[in-house]
């Protein structure tokens, strides 16, 4: 393995770490926030418009900030959480903070598309709120939730490349330090190719899961 291969593999490993950890945290946080938006909205299982408006405001503000600005703005929070503002671990914090509102809105949209008649039938049969959320809303919306998560992971790949601009590591950092600052075109091309392949693989896997989940729907 030559020098370029070694640094490329290391950068790819760092990108994987940033993306999969932040994707897991985003899936959990974004789904929870999306469910709360549905439950507290008008006609929801736990209608509370003040709470719904606050949650909606948080999501809208989070989605409106460009990632590079968000990453710099929450540097004190990042330092408080992980003890540093540089490196792969530090980059996971702004990646997660930036992606949760994005996925929350996608999750809310998927959950809102569930047929209200199905929810009404479950309520008429005496199902609890938790049972309706778990066995009706999440189950019926699963293909859309997976499709939204696929889009979010691809967005995280792009975010992780931008994180390299401020010392986040990964392919973005490699492309800037070698491809741009040292004018090593082969490194830049290699980073672009790897990112394109990575995004294509994520999209293919997401599409496969969506098709399988859709076929399982009654």
């Amino acid at each position: 393995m030559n020098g370029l291969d070694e640094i490329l593999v290391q950068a790819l490993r760092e990108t994987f770490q940033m993306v999969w950890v932040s994707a897991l945290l985003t899936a959990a946080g974004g789904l929870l926030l999306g469910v709360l938006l549905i439950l507290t909205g008008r006609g929801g299982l736990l209608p509370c418009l003040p709470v719904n408006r606050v949650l909606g405001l948080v999501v809208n503000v989070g989605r409106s900030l460009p990632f590079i600005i968000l990453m710099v703005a929450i540097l004190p929070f990042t330092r408080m959480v992980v003890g540093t503002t540089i490196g792969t671990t530090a980059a996971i914090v702004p990646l997660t903070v930036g992606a949760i509102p994005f996925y929350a809105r996608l999750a809310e949209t998927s959950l809102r598309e569930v047929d209200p008649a199905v929810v009404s039938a479950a309520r008429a049969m005496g199902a609890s709120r938790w049972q309706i959320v778990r066995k009706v809303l999440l189950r019926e919306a699963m293909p859309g939730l997976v499709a939204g998560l696929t889009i979010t992971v691809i967005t995280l790949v792009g975010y992780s490349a931008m994180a390299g601009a401020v010392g986040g590591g990964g392919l973005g950092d490699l492309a800037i330090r070698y491809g741009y600052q040292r004018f090593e075109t082969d490194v830049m091309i290699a980073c672009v190719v790897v990112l394109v392949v990575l995004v294509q693989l994520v999209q293919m896997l997401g599409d496969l899961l969506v098709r399988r989940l859709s076929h399982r729907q009654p």
Side-chain angles (χ1 to χ4, degrees):
M1 181 179 290
N2 58 40
L4 175 58
D5 291 338
E6 291 179 357
I7 60 177
L8 190 60
V9 169
Q10 177 61 28
L12 181 59
R13 187 181 297 116
E14 293 174 350
T15 295
F16 268 125
Q17 180 183 349
M18 285 188 286
V19 171
W20 81 262
V21 174
S22 57
L24 287 177
L25 296 174
T26 296
L31 183 58
L32 175 60
L33 193 52
V35 169
L36 289 176
L37 284 167
I38 288 295
L39 294 181
T40 58
R42 186 175 285 104
L45 297 175
L46 292 170
C48 184
L49 292 184
V51 173
N52 185 265
R53 291 193 180 100
V54 171
L55 293 176
L57 178 62
V58 170
V59 169
N60 290 336
V61 170
R63 294 174 63 211
S64 65
L65 293 176
F67 177 71
I68 194 71
I69 295 177
L70 172 67
M71 186 163 49
V72 175
I74 66 169
L75 283 177
F77 177 71
T78 301
R79 184 180 291 109
M80 181 181 67
V81 173
V82 297
T84 182
T85 59
I86 299 175
T88 302
T89 302
I92 292 173
V93 177
L95 284 171
T96 304
V97 172
I100 282 179
F102 181 81
Y103 182 57
R105 192 60 79 186
L106 294 177
E108 179 195 12
T109 301
S110 297
L111 292 167
R112 197 178 298 279
E113 292 176 352
V114 174
D115 190 351
V118 179
V119 177
S120 299
R123 297 182 71 173
M125 294 172 61
S128 66
R129 294 186 180 93
W130 167 241
Q131 289 174 327
I132 293 174
V133 170
R134 184 168 58 92
K135 296 184 178 181
V136 178
L137 289 177
L138 293 180
R139 181 178 178 181
E140 293 293 322
M142 189 57 65
L145 293 174
V146 173
L149 185 59
T150 301
I151 296 172
T152 304
V153 172
I154 291 174
T155 301
L156 282 170
V157 173
Y159 284 176
S160 70
M162 283 189 281
V166 290
L171 293 168
D173 179 57
L174 178 62
I176 291 173
R177 287 191 295 113
Y178 287 84
Y180 176 71
Q181 295 178 348
R182 301 186 184 183
F183 302 101
E184 297 185 16
T185 307
D186 56 338
V187 176
M188 180 69 76
I189 294 175
C191 290
V192 172
V193 170
V194 171
L195 284 170
V196 170
V197 172
L198 182 58
V199 168
Q200 293 300 315
L201 290 175
V202 171
Q203 187 65 63
M204 290 172 58
L205 178 60
D207 290 343
L208 177 62
L209 289 174
V210 170
R211 285 196 297 270
R212 289 190 175 183
L213 289 170
S214 298
H215 292 159
R216 292 178 184 176
Q217 295 296 320

